[in-house]
Amino acid sequence: TKNQIEQERQKKELQDILDTAGGRYLIWKLLSICGVYRAAPVDPEQVQRFEGSRDIGLRLITWMNEADPKAVGLMQLEALRRE
């Protein structure tokens, strides 16, 4: 179907990005901005915004796991090496 073709195209494009150190670094920065690896804020007024951003990050992780199951672990390792 048209939707399956689009999903496969998106998966391939993400694989192309994940195949480069620069692409993985950029996505790691986006995940950091999304707050995927941070605790939710205690201020109730900030929670909805935080959870919305975090949801985007979690979707990106799901897509990455479908495109390349090793990518997230590699990105974490590369981030540790940069620190």
Side-chain angles (χ1 to χ4, degrees):
T1 68
K2 191 174 183 178
N3 190 32
Q4 288 173 322
I5 293 169
E6 175 63 22
Q7 287 176 346
E8 285 301 314
R9 186 183 64 78
Q10 176 184 332
K11 182 178 172 181
K12 173 66 175 119
E13 289 174 354
L14 186 52
Q15 286 170 333
D16 291 345
I17 292 168
L18 295 172
D19 282 344
T20 68
R24 289 188 303 274
Y25 176 74
L26 175 64
I27 291 178
W28 183 258
K29 294 298 284 184
L30 290 172
L31 292 175
S32 297
I33 291 167
C34 290
V36 171
Y37 299 110
R38 287 192 317 245
V42 292
D43 181 356
E45 293 180 12
Q46 295 178 356
V47 171
Q48 284 184 331
R49 181 171 183 227
F50 173 83
E51 288 300 332
S53 295
R54 187 170 180 272
D55 182 59
I56 292 168
L58 293 174
R59 287 178 193 222
L60 182 53
I61 289 173
T62 298
W63 293 344
M64 285 190 302
N65 284 331
E66 292 170 358
D68 181 356
K70 297 177 185 177
V72 175
L74 179 57
M75 289 166 55
Q76 291 171 331
L77 181 62
E78 290 171 340
L80 287 173
R81 289 180 181 160
R82 282 192 297 273
E83 291 179 359

